[in-house]
């Protein structure tokens, strides 16, 4: 997904008063202020109450549900005919800031800020992005994202990424 397409979507969401936090690879690049690799989709975190409105905005632009085995009310993907995909991660917090529905985002994970093509965006904080990149089968993109975040923000590289550094040394 191109930077232009991402910024256009984020501007659309902003224009309609929908607060989203960029997650995933675009969040890494937003924190760094530049695109560092290609991205297949745009991951977003948003309040579950905003899902119907955002879904309607995207449907009006030709987006449809993309069938996946892990689709749930709080985690699904919509795509268009150009191959652009938006991966939704929704949540609902109670008055104390505890997730009572949806994806388990700690409240303090939604505190990052960055930019894509100079457009200011809210995103996942660097520390939480590193934490979220663990506990599953890691690939080269995960290593890239975590390595650049750790270097830029002075975060220790998690132990599970050591196999990638060993491979780099060989």
């Amino acid at each position: 997904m191109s930077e232009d397409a991402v910024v256009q979507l984020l501007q659309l969401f902003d224009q309609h008063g929908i607060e989203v936090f960029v997650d995933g690879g675009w969040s890494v690049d937003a924190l760094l202020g530049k695109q560092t690799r290609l991205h297949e989709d745009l991951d977003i975190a948003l309040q579950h109450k905003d899902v119907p409105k955002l879904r309607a905005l995207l449907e009006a632009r030709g987006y449809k549900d993309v069938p996946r085995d892990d689709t749930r009310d709080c985690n699904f993907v919509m795509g268009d005919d150009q191959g652009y995909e938006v991966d939704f991660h929704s949540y609902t917090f109670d008055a104390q800031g505890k997730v009572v529905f949806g994806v388990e985002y700690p409240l303090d994970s939604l505190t990052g800020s960055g930019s894509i093509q100079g457009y200011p965006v809210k995103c996942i904080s660097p520390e939480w992005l590193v934490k979220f990149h663990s506990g599953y089968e890691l690939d080269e993109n995960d290593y890239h994202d975590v390595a650049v975040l750790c270097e830029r923000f002075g975060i220790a590289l998690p132990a599970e990424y050591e196999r990638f550094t060993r491979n780099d040394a060989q």
Side-chain angles (χ1 to χ4, degrees):
M1 182 173 249
S2 72
E3 281 183 303
D4 288 339
V6 168
V7 170
Q8 288 171 6
L9 286 171
L10 295 172
Q11 288 173 334
L12 174 70
F13 306 158
D14 284 345
Q15 289 165 0
H16 287 86
I18 302 171
E19 180 181 54
V20 301
F21 294 86
V22 178
D23 196 353
W26 278 114
S27 184
V28 172
D29 286 355
L31 288 164
L32 298 172
K34 64 180 181 180
Q35 185 173 359
T36 63
R37 66 173 179 84
L38 296 176
H39 305 281
E40 294 180 12
D41 62 2
L42 171 62
D43 294 279
I44 58 170
L46 73 157
Q47 292 185 55
H48 191 70
K49 70 176 182 60
D50 292 329
V51 167
K53 185 176 182 181
L54 188 54
R55 178 185 277 285
L57 281 172
L58 290 176
E59 286 173 348
R61 283 157 182 77
Y63 281 76
K64 295 176 176 56
D65 285 314
V66 175
R68 293 183 2 167
D69 292 341
D70 62 347
T71 294
R72 304 178 309 179
D73 286 346
C74 63
N75 183 224
F76 60 93
V77 175
M78 293 183 75
D80 70 2
D81 292 339
Q82 296 180 61
Y84 295 147
E85 292 186 347
V86 178
D87 192 348
F88 285 68
H89 307 277
S90 68
Y91 54 82
T92 302
F93 290 114
D94 66 13
Q96 289 73 42
K98 181 180 183 312
V99 172
V100 293
F101 173 80
V103 177
E104 294 282 334
Y105 283 103
L107 193 56
D108 63 341
S109 70
L110 304 174
T111 58
S113 62
S115 66
I116 299 172
Q117 280 189 339
Y119 186 75
V121 300
K122 295 177 180 179
C123 54
I124 307 303
S125 70
E127 299 79 14
W128 278 103
L129 275 173
V130 171
K131 290 178 188 177
F132 291 159
H133 277 83
S134 64
Y136 58 89
E137 186 65 34
L138 303 170
D139 63 21
E140 292 295 327
N141 284 341
D142 295 314
Y143 174 70
H144 169 272
D145 290 350
V146 168
V148 296
L149 286 172
C150 289
E151 181 178 331
R152 178 71 166 283
F153 294 98
I155 302 168
L157 189 69
E160 65 189 302
Y161 284 87
E162 288 177 8
R163 71 178 172 96
F164 290 97
T165 57
R166 285 194 301 272
N167 290 342
D168 285 349
Q170 296 175 357

